[in-house]
Amino acid sequence: MAGERGEGGEVLPLPLSRSSSRGGVGGRGMRGRWIMFRKRRERWLVVLGVVLHAIYMLSIFDIYFKTPIVHGMDPVEPRINPPAKRLVLLIADGLRADKFFEPDAKGEYRALFLRNIMKTKGRWGISHARPPTESRPGHVAIIAGFYEDPSAVTKGWKANPVEFDSVFNRSHHSFAFGSPDIVPIFCSALPHSSWRVYPHEFEDFATDASFLDVWSFDQFQSLVNGSKDDPVINQLLHQDKVVIFLHLLGCDTNGHAHKPYSSIYLNNIKVVDDIAESTYKLVEDLFKDNATAYIFTADHGMSDKGSHGDGHPSNTETPLVAWGAGIRGPRTSYIKHRSSNNFRFVDEHTHDMPTPIEWGLRDVERVDVNQADIAPLMSTLLGLPCPMNSVGNLPLEFVDMNEEDEAEAALANAKQVLHQFRRKSQIKQSHSLSFKPFKPLENSTSVVNEIEDLISQKDYEAAVRLSQSLRTLSLAGLHYFQTYDWMMLMTTITLGYVGWMVYIVMHVLKWYTYLQEKYSLTKNLAILMDQRDTKVYIFGTLLMGIFSILLLVERAPPLYHAYLAVTVFLWTQIFNDFQFIKAAWSTLISSESKCLLKLCGTCAVSILILEFLVASFSERRLYTLFFLTAGPCGAFYIMKSFRAYIGAPIFIWASCWILSLFTMFPADIPENTTLVITSGAIVVFIALVSRWFNSSVVAQKYCSSICTERKQSNGSKNLFIAQAFLVLLSSLMVSLSTSHRTQNRELLALHQVINWVLAGLGMVLPLFSVNTLLSRLSSVFLGFAPAFLLLSIGYEAVFYGALGLVLMSWILVESAILSLSSKAAPTHNDNIELKLNLYRRDDERYLQLSDMRVPLCFLVLFNVAFFGTGNFASIASFEISSVYRFITIFSPFLMAGLLVFKLFIPFMLVICVFSAITKLMRLPRLGCYFLVIVFSDVMTIHFFFLVRNTGSWMEIGNTISHFGIMSAQVVFVLLLFALTNVYTKNIEISSPHYSSHKVL
């Protein structure tokens, strides 16, 4: 017979006979060509996916991270008499405002000199920083007057991706001393500067870093003392428009290493205050002309856990103290100089915030500013043009000038921002075929003339108000042109993602489902391989050419061409496969209503789970609710298969509820070395229980597919003992390394070497374990434990064990599903049997709707590994003290690499289990991977629409990071698949159910 009738009387093709499928020349040749063609296609598809996501992820730089810097403007010289000849800028890196102003436990204030300045000589307030609250962005805002060029994030905020103007550039000469990470940013390419930095090795987190501040002052003192014998240095110091910059890194380093509430950090504030006093006395003794202005501030604060980066007030609020030439004296707090008009700062904090009583400064007027306002303040004091890309507002409450000079300075400040707007407008108009101007500033020239007239008429207050209004409108115009191409880019990227998802779904349907019978095997393979719809390709090529010409005429960036090219290419490929789409659609509409309902239900549940995952990025506690529900559901389901074995349901229920606790814990992980040490014993105990379960008689009876090691060999026992020993030794090294750091003792090189060896050796040993499923996974669980423990500081070490329990529960549930399907196995004449075996390799079967649960479960557990111990989508969630057991000398790239590796360890556990389950269920792993990518991109496109360009920078940054994380997931999931394949590729599965299939 040519075939047998399935349900509904349809004649279905039978599997190829033994001779044709295995021994026949034609069958073997076609099968080989088919497999080779599929592999080539999938390699190309994976490459396309990586390229597409890499290109589309870059779109956030064109939409939200586009550089605000524009060149080609002329500086605006202020028409004022500069009140100061020189300026001293002191920046205490990482100094948070409350610790600076508040008294200590004895009621004594730490910064006595600067406090006296605030009350008797100068002005004070809070400088509000905009996230990301990192060192480079903060210094750029202070010295250059604009918020960090976002493109600098690609270089770790170290190098200058685009050269920019600064107060140092405009000065006649600048002297700078401090960190090698900050000073060169502003001085390395500046010919009229003298600067010195200490070596990177000085930034040791294991010591008290206040000596770094002393070093900076000592260098300046040596310069001043040496100028008495060096006429060149003496002449440079005594000229006008000189800037002296001392970068004081001690608070930042001590805050990271010892936390901002530690005695070392708080004592460092006294050191900084002493340096400010010594610098003031040194300068005044040298010049004796009362023509020096002084500004003391910080680039960012420090959170309680010793990190910074986000928009928390402890990170965004920094002290600002100004005194000297051109600075107003203190005013009583009840005198209001200007109305706040409900003004909000860049960190979304309101104006006129009440000063805490404990600061003891309520009787002295407080003037808060945005961090970028300090640059125009320094420029005005020296009579310099504002930095050409400055967006800061001159804080007139600080300057001591006559009303005319105030009005002229405010006008110069507004003109500088207006010039940026005009330059951007000019560039966009010259490149656009259909230009849409910013209407509120079409009459900007007349507004400037009106301000000039007001100054001439000596109506200075009105001139200042109109200048500030002009500056505000100019900033709005800059934002308008910053997002000018927003709609076009959003539409292109959205169509590209939708096209990619459609293309992947078509590939899965064509190669991994039973539609392969209806489509692929009924066509000649050569025709299928060479199929081309000439009309579709001609139309796609013409469309791409038209778009490219339009973009070339508008002088669009090269990436714009890439976005459109990828989108047009994908949809061309989709329409080229129209015949398959038609065949798949006809199969769908001819299916039974029960099948259609099942399909709709599966899609609805999948979307619901994906939306749940999207929401979990903002509220990680949702996972608590999920696992509280999943525990009993999994337990009741598994009871169908293991009715006589009550231990498995209890284990699943308990493991889910244990894991549910961790997403209730705070994202700021408190240090608890005892918990980390105890976790080592917990990990060994879990592995010991897994080993017992693997060889127990009860497990062999109910889980024969995963427990196949009845008698454990001596080699297996010795390997387990070695791995357990490494884990326990890692716990000991955690205790030893932490004790050295808490005692402010340097971590010995021997200790670091031992820690590196433990982490590396632990990851190698699983390769020598038995290749049965449970034995190999238990060995992998033990293998990554030493590295994870050595990188842990608190409860995340326990999370590692809890995640391992839930992963074991997932294996048990899938084993139960396999057992139930085996009991209900169809006969060899059944339609399902044909779908399981037709034209697949012996160890794989076709994907079915019920298999959608595997990639969905993977995504849930993958995200739990991501958010289980904190919100790693936030830049401030990375606890730098996690790496101190491997390295204490500041090395940003190595430290970041260790933090990312720690983050990846739970991911690797999840992927190892996922790979093992695909082998257990005989599922094509690459097909499941493509489904994971489709599900991830559903979330990606959702996050793409959730990206905000209004509100606080913290909210904007979080939405962008969520999109970036999901866009990158296709890349690092693929990378982790490749890495974990080393551990899982030779896992052996024994299943009587599928063995019977092979006989057919």
Side-chain angles (χ1 to χ4, degrees), residues 55-56 62 488-489 492-493 543-569:
I55 290 175
Y56 282 176
D62 283 317
M488 183 274 289
L489 290 174
T492 302
I493 302 301
L543 191 62
M544 193 179 299
I546 292 171
F547 285 143
S548 298
I549 292 172
L550 290 175
L551 291 176
L552 284 172
V553 170
E554 293 198 348
R555 301 179 191 176
L559 278 176
Y560 285 28
H561 294 264
Y563 304 147
L564 280 167
V566 171
T567 300
V568 173
F569 173 78

Side-chain angles (χ1 to χ4, degrees), residues 726-740:
L726 290 182
V727 173
L728 296 177
L729 183 58
S730 299
S731 298
L732 177 63
M733 292 306 299
V734 166
S735 175
L736 190 61
S737 302
T738 305
S739 66
H740 274 68

Side-chain angles (χ1 to χ4, degrees), residues 688-837:
L688 190 63
V689 171
S690 173
R691 185 173 175 82
W692 166 82
F693 181 78
N694 189 33
S695 58
S696 67
V697 176
V698 176
Q700 291 290 335
K701 179 179 179 181
Y702 294 103
C703 306
S704 58
S705 57
I706 62 173
C707 301
T708 55
E709 191 180 359
R710 290 184 179 275
K711 234 179 181 181
Q712 297 172 351
S713 63
N714 289 331
S716 176
K717 291 179 182 178
N718 293 336
L719 180 64
F720 174 80
I721 293 172
Q723 289 188 289
F725 174 74
L726 290 182
V727 173
L728 296 177
L729 183 58
S730 299
S731 298
L732 177 63
M733 292 306 299
V734 166
S735 175
L736 190 61
S737 302
T738 305
S739 66
H740 274 68
R741 184 165 63 86
T742 54
Q743 296 170 15
N744 299 326
R745 295 163 57 193
E746 184 178 357
L747 186 62
L748 299 178
L750 177 62
H751 293 171
Q752 296 183 46
V753 171
I754 292 174
N755 292 340
W756 282 99
V757 170
L758 288 175
L761 186 60
M763 291 182 289
V764 172
L765 290 182
L767 298 174
F768 302 97
S769 63
V770 179
N771 59 359
T772 57
L773 186 145
L774 200 56
S775 298
R776 176 56 59 87
L777 293 181
S778 299
S779 183
V780 170
F781 174 72
L782 277 175
F784 284 105
F788 196 80
L789 291 176
L790 289 168
L791 288 167
S792 297
I793 62 168
Y795 72 80
E796 80 270 32
V798 185
F799 170 79
Y800 182 84
L803 180 64
L805 293 176
V806 169
L807 292 175
M808 179 61 196
S809 299
W810 187 21
I811 295 173
L812 289 176
V813 170
E814 293 296 342
S815 180
I817 293 173
L818 180 64
S819 177
L820 290 175
S821 65
S822 178
K823 292 176 183 177
T827 64
H828 68 280
N829 290 330
D830 198 298
N831 181 19
I832 300 178
E833 180 66 26
L834 298 174
K835 295 175 185 178
L836 286 173
N837 290 278

